[in-house]
Amino acid sequence: MSGTDGGRCLEAGADRSGEERADRGAVIAAGMTTLATWSLRLVLVAAGAVLIGLLIGQLWVIVWPVLLGVILATVLRPPVAWLIRRGLPPAPAALLVVAGALGVLVLIGVLLAPSVVGQADEIAAGASAGLQQIQTWLSGPPFNLGEGQIGAALNSITGQLQASASAIASGVLVTVGAVASGLLNAVLAIVLAFFFVKDGPRFLPWLHRVAGQRAGRHLEEVLRRAWRGLGGFIRAQALVSLVDAVFIGIGLVIVGVPLALPLAVLTFFGGFIPIVGALVAGAAAVLVALVTKGLTSALIVLGIIILVQQIEGNVLQPLLQSRSLGLHAVVVLLAVTAGGSLYGIAGAFLAVPVAAVAAEVLRYLGEQIDRRSGAAGAADPDRAAPDAESVTV
């Protein structure tokens, strides 16, 4: 090969290598363009989420009973479906199950009432003795308060209460209004739950028709999975609350605290109201133990409650909910913490179901992305979705 031909080859190679190497500024500009594009998309998504949150806040008086009705429907729908499979029409089946659930609640109240009334005298006597002990304790060292000083303090407290009568009255009215609103929401939720369990199977086909064949298929599948996840959460929460009630009730019986059965029932229902429910139920048990059995028994009951709730909150609840919802225990803990910090009791109660629904949506989107990209093992959208208990995040 001549020197001229070799020079041409070197020039051609230099030109090709120059074409393959892009300019450094162009690479940086392309990266910044991609970053700006995704930043704008994230800002728009966040703005949409904020607008949805504001809309839900404005319509909370409607949204809250609907959510409660859906939660009740997840519990009541299985027996209704069983009755329908046995040949009973949907309306009578739903009415029978809802009425039966209300009857069970009324029966529990009727069974607990004699226990409460029968031990009311013991609790009142214990409370009187407890107040007398407090007065005796204040009269001795290190306080050394005489009866006159204690009486003056009581008179001062009475005067302050009388001076604040208007504020107390307004607070009572606010509380009465809150209770009335809660009862109204409960009645509305029960009515909605009746229609949900009666006409539940019709909602998804109706949404399918409204959204269209393409979008309706995806919407129906996501909602079906979300329903299974929500039902798993309610069952897990009921099991956790039952474990709390049983062990705390056994502890109260061993210590000899009156009203052990009513307090155990209160613990069970309080378990469905995160944080505040457990706090109120535990405080009631400790107070009853204090006024009837003394300080030592109250401290023992407090230790039992703390031990049971720590085991439940840190071991049992994350384990059961992570299995039933397909969520990792860390996700469950972070969801409850975030929901309670942002929206209080309602946020803590709804945090895990919302996280489960969001996880189901992400799973389904991932399956669709894998299917369209031809990834190995992509799920077939026409097949039945796997059960929520068999999937984890």
Side-chain angles (χ1 to χ4, degrees), residues 254-332:
I254 293 174
V255 178
V257 177
L259 302 178
L261 180 59
L263 290 173
V265 173
L266 178 63
T267 301
F268 173 77
F269 287 106
F272 289 92
I273 306 176
I275 303 173
V276 174
L279 180 62
V280 171
V286 173
L287 181 61
V288 172
L290 177 63
V291 299
T292 57
K293 295 295 182 178
L295 181 60
T296 302
S297 297
L299 292 177
I300 295 174
V301 170
L302 179 61
I304 293 173
I305 292 174
I306 292 176
L307 178 62
V308 172
Q309 291 184 352
Q310 287 299 313
I311 295 175
E312 169 258 309
N314 295 305
V315 179
L316 185 60
Q317 188 175 31
L319 181 62
L320 290 175
Q321 289 185 347
S322 64
R323 289 181 176 178
S324 63
L325 297 177
L327 295 176
H328 194 275
V330 174
V331 177
V332 173

Side-chain angles (χ1 to χ4, degrees), residues 198-221:
K198 181 176 75 73
D199 300 324
R202 301 179 183 177
F203 284 115
L204 289 182
W206 175 77
L207 287 175
H208 196 149
R209 291 193 302 269
V210 170
Q213 180 63 30
R214 184 174 181 180
R217 175 172 57 86
H218 298 294
L219 181 62
E220 182 176 354
E221 180 60 28

Side-chain angles (χ1 to χ4, degrees), residues 10 148 342:
L10 291 175
L342 294 175

Side-chain angles (χ1 to χ4, degrees), residues 232-247:
F233 163 72
I234 297 300
R235 289 189 294 270
Q237 191 65 37
L239 182 57
V240 169
S241 299
L242 180 62
V243 171
D244 276 357
V246 169
F247 283 99

Side-chain angles (χ1 to χ4, degrees), residues 14 41 47 102 136 142 232 255 272 274 321 326 329-330 350-351 355 366 385 391:
R41 292 173 179 175
L102 293 177
T136 303
V255 178
F272 289 92
Q321 289 185 347
V330 174
L350 297 175
V391 185

Side-chain angles (χ1 to χ4, degrees), residues 8-83:
R8 290 176 179 175
C9 291
L10 291 175
E11 291 177 0
D15 291 339
R16 284 195 299 269
S17 63
E19 291 174 357
E20 291 175 357
R21 289 198 301 267
D23 182 71
R24 186 179 181 84
V27 173
I28 296 175
M32 294 298 294
T33 300
T34 303
L35 179 61
T37 301
W38 279 101
S39 299
L40 180 59
R41 292 173 179 175
L42 292 176
V43 168
L44 293 176
V45 170
V50 170
L51 290 177
I52 292 175
L54 293 176
L55 180 62
I56 291 176
Q58 293 296 323
L59 299 177
W60 186 248
V61 67
I62 298 175
V63 173
W64 180 237
V66 171
L67 293 178
L68 289 179
V70 171
I71 291 173
L72 291 175
T74 60
V75 179
L76 301 178
R77 177 61 194 174
V80 171
W82 183 83
L83 291 176

